Amino acid sequence: MQQNRKLCDYKKLYQLYEAGRVFTAFDTETTGLKPINSTIIEIGAVKFDRSGIIGSWAELFNPGHSLPEEITSITHITDEMLSDKPPLKQRIKDFLSFLGDSIIVAHNAQFDIDFLNSECAKNGLKRTNNDFIDTLGFSKTIFPDMQNHKLGFLADNFNIDKGSSHRALDDAKTCMELMKKCMYPNGESQQQFLF
């Protein structure tokens, strides 16, 4: 079975980034917390390398049923917003094509990867096997004294524009900026091997 491999060698990550490797920061919004009984209702992703953003991908999906109230209160995504959207199964191949063989970047990455791979399995597709960076773990390594490592808290602390939190594309962009901050805590021209 294919496996997604977590990159924990941050020095190697820095070298890959400097060498021009392509990354895709992505985020999902879902109908619940477990892929077994929940589905993705939004994917947002931004593909980038050292030279900047290469492309972005953002789409809402109709889960085929009403959203739980708590999901709407967190994401501000409503049933009305999803009513004319396609189900994910119609677009998942397009997202996988966008993702390609890039290195995935996500905050609490296993959550989003598990959901994506579950959706692949539900639709008869192979699991992804992209390497990934978890910015939650990365930030804990680089900034161990931070009182909180939630994405929004870190964005506020480092003056990263977080747009609309709990919307997938804005969270993906925030995650991209957080990865860069972790690699270059003193500014891009002053990288120091803290790891």
Side-chain angles (χ1 to χ4, degrees), residues 49-61:
D49 63 14
R50 194 178 191 294
S51 64
I53 293 175
I54 298 167
S56 61
W57 203 94
E59 195 157 337
L60 291 165
F61 307 103

Side-chain angles (χ1 to χ4, degrees), residues 68-85:
E69 286 181 25
E70 60 269 22
I71 297 301
T72 296
S73 69
I74 292 168
T75 64
H76 303 293
I77 297 171
T78 64
D79 290 330
E80 292 73 28
M81 291 167 66
L82 302 180
S83 64
D84 63 345
K85 302 302 180 196

